Amino acid sequence: MRIIVWGINYAPEFTGIAPHSVALCEFLRGLDHDVQMISGFCYYPTWTKRPEDRGRLYRTDIINGVPVHRCWQFVPGQASALKRIIHEATFVFTSTLRALVLPTADVYVIVSPPLLLGAAAWLVTRLKRAPFVFHVQDLQPDAALKLGMLRAGGFARALLALEAFAYAKATRVSSITRGMLDVFRGKGVPESKLVYFPNAIDLKSDTPPPARGEFRRRHGFAEAEFLAIYAGNLGVKQGLDVLLETAPLLRNPRIRIVICGDGAQREALAQRVRELKLGNVTMLPLQEGEDYRALLTDVDLCFITQQAGSGNSFFPSKLLGLLAAAKPVVTVAAPECELALSLVEGKFGVNIPPGHPRQLADLLEALAQDPQRLAEYGAAGRRYVEQFEKGRVLQNFLRELSGIR
């Protein structure tokens, strides 16, 4: 099959959506399918282009045998709502032109966000007489409305209309959680179109983990410290203020909260740490590659937090890596959302509702004194994540693609 995957993020970006598009493309390439990627120039999560990419309109890279057609997009230094719209719109415009001149694919896989790619995909595939799958990683309008980032009104209605248009014109609509599929059903997407395509993880790595203590030595953490770490994007949706509200409530001096990452809220969080003089909170840059693996070796507990109101609008894919490393997880999320329900199902940690720093502090105090409980959570998570093994997930999706006519 000839398959074009079309989305704004790809390698060498290593967080967010990019690794999952990479996994799909390289899996298809490994089975001798003719797969190409239409993407933007790397910017996430720092919201900064690499020096060699600045000023480039188009470029084609070959990454592990996959042609990656880079298309210019505006990348703002500070990602306000308006600037994000311009950022996504410029990519949709330049990438649509690129898609039009590429040879026609048997099927197009559209990765959203950006939401506007749905309309662009309809235009391109209508002209080329080809089907497209609209794969949703993040329910943008729903999340923006629930988090107060977007007000109800004409613009919100326009976004919801664009969303409905994409669902109506796509041959299939896929998403990463069953909760999102329920949202699609509520929006009127017929059952015959729906495809469950969760993010996946490689569980067959032969690379041994780094020796314990490397991450601690590098950053000056004592072996006796209980490291509770958040690692990833520092954005509004993550609701990381709860960790700063929890820190002064901790009585055990061994407990240290570490926030590793980059994103739109990094400077605001760092400023609050300084203002509150939180001696038991450390902020570090985003960790990648061997540095991230060393972090996972040394961490005692991992946080995944969500802002109140985000619901099932997105699902933090970083969870899979934590579970694969057999790390206990504490989530801060609404009890009815997909993240919290997954934790209950998998029994790999504890969920605290947003806005309850006292409960979170008490939980950390208890877990710091209970290594057996932590070990049980880690083992349960490793068992739970096996259903997301990369080969199984991608093979199932390929069967869906092969059945599209």
Side-chain angles (χ1 to χ4, degrees), residues 8 13 40-43 49 56 71-75 87 90-91 94:
I8 198 170
E13 293 177 1
F41 288 93
C42 296
Y43 69 94
K49 284 185 182 179
R56 298 296 299 270
C71 305
W72 178 84
Q73 81 275 44
F74 167 69
V75 177
H87 159 71
T90 52
F91 170 72
T94 58

Side-chain angles (χ1 to χ4, degrees), residues 169-398:
K169 299 302 180 182
T171 305
R172 297 286 189 276
V173 180
S174 63
S175 197
I176 59 175
T177 71
R178 300 191 187 281
M180 285 187 183
L181 294 181
D182 287 338
V183 173
F184 297 155
R185 292 183 183 100
K187 293 175 180 284
V189 181
E191 194 70 32
S192 59
K193 280 191 175 186
L194 298 180
V195 175
Y196 177 50
F197 179 29
N199 290 332
I201 187 161
D202 186 359
L203 298 176
K204 299 177 181 178
S205 174
D206 296 325
T207 305
R212 183 170 174 83
E214 181 182 327
F215 175 79
R216 290 174 183 260
R217 285 192 298 272
R218 186 183 306 136
H219 297 288
F221 301 133
E223 179 60 31
E225 285 187 275
F226 183 86
L227 298 184
I229 294 184
Y230 173 89
N233 183 41
L234 310 183
V236 174
K237 291 187 296 187
Q238 282 69 39
L240 289 162
D241 282 344
V242 68
L243 301 184
L244 307 189
E245 294 164 2
T246 298
L249 303 178
L250 294 168
R251 298 179 296 273
N252 187 337
R254 287 200 311 121
I255 301 175
R256 175 166 297 277
I257 294 174
V258 183
I259 300 174
C260 301
D262 211 332
Q265 294 296 303
R266 179 177 174 83
E267 185 49 44
L269 290 167
Q271 181 63 29
R272 283 205 66 196
V273 171
R274 292 191 292 267
E275 291 173 352
L276 297 173
K277 299 180 180 179
L278 299 175
N280 57 354
V281 176
T282 298
M283 293 196 66
L284 296 175
L286 189 67
Q287 307 292 298
E288 59 179 298
E290 285 301 306
D291 293 337
Y292 182 68
R293 295 179 70 243
L295 178 156
L296 287 180
T297 297
D298 281 6
V299 66
D300 294 295
L301 177 151
C302 296
F303 292 116
I304 296 183
T305 59
Q306 288 187 349
Q307 183 72 277
S310 57
N312 286 327
S313 302
F314 75 107
F315 188 83
S317 57
K318 69 172 72 68
L319 173 65
L320 303 181
L322 304 182
L323 300 184
K327 292 300 160 183
V329 176
V330 168
T331 58
V332 178
E336 69 278 4
C337 79
E338 192 82 13
L339 174 60
L341 293 175
S342 297
L343 185 145
V344 171
E345 180 185 354
K347 299 180 175 60
F348 49 77
V350 181
N351 182 64
I352 300 294
H356 291 80
R358 177 75 267 172
Q359 287 186 36
L360 184 55
D362 290 344
L363 175 64
L364 293 179
E365 301 273 2
L367 292 176
Q369 304 299 326
D370 197 343
Q372 179 61 34
R373 188 179 173 191
L374 291 172
E376 290 171 357
Y377 286 150
R382 178 65 192 194
R383 290 191 298 270
Y384 180 79
V385 79
E386 289 176 0
Q387 65 185 295
F388 301 104
E389 193 278 320
K390 184 167 70 173
R392 179 193 308 177
V393 169
L394 294 175
Q395 190 63 54
N396 288 341
F397 188 64
L398 176 58

